[in-house]
Amino acid sequence: IDEAYAVKLEETSFINGIYISGANDTRVTFTEPGIYTMTFSLSFKNPTNDAQSVDVWFRYHNGTTTADVPNSNSKFTIPARKSTGDPSYLIAVTPFTGYAEAAGVWVEVMWCTTSTSVVMEQ
């Protein structure tokens, strides 16, 4: 609960100037400096009887420092399950535009939730 996890990335729609990297395929690395727009689309499942919250934000590494990107957090509320065996789902989609000041910098999409029962589905 409330522990940050990096999202494992499986594909990009447009790969001009970026590539997926890192030991667990969690990083988007930029090949050139510039302004980039990234949009994530994540599917969450809530099997609990209560509404749950999920926070999703970007974490940035500029070659020397890793930090959460200010003002990049989006909070989503997943409704309580509909009935036993019928969980609720939420597709979280948010665009974000930022500046990569040099080649080799990377970002990760991070997430945390209010319940260990909430999962991200593929």
Side-chain angles (χ1 to χ4, degrees):
I1 297 175
D2 296 329
E3 185 172 331
Y5 296 95
V7 174
K8 180 178 168 121
L9 305 169
E10 295 184 1
E11 66 180 72
T12 59
S13 296
F14 303 98
I15 58 171
N16 188 15
I18 64 168
Y19 61 94
I20 295 172
S21 65
N24 297 316
D25 291 335
T26 61
R27 298 175 180 169
V28 174
T29 301
F30 301 96
T31 61
E32 301 176 23
I35 297 173
Y36 292 86
T37 297
M38 297 178 57
T39 302
F40 59 77
S41 175
L42 308 172
S43 177
F44 294 100
K45 178 174 80 172
N46 179 14
T48 71
N49 290 325
D50 299 309
Q52 302 295 336
S53 293
V54 175
D55 287 274
V56 183
W57 68 96
F58 288 98
R59 183 167 284 168
Y60 180 78
H61 180 78
N62 66 4
T64 57
T65 304
T66 302
D68 294 337
V69 176
N71 304 313
S72 69
N73 187 63
S74 295
K75 183 179 281 294
F76 302 93
T77 301
I78 310 169
R81 70 182 183 188
K82 299 171 187 106
S83 62
T84 302
D86 191 11
S88 289
Y89 294 90
L90 174 85
I91 303 296
V93 179
T94 300
F96 185 81
T97 301
Y99 179 70
E101 69 267 10
V105 301
W106 52 261
V107 296
E108 290 179 304
V109 178
M110 304 299 294
W111 74 288
C112 70
T113 181
T114 54
S115 171
T116 57
S117 296
V118 171
V119 295
M120 184 185 311
E121 295 199 322
Q122 296 181 347

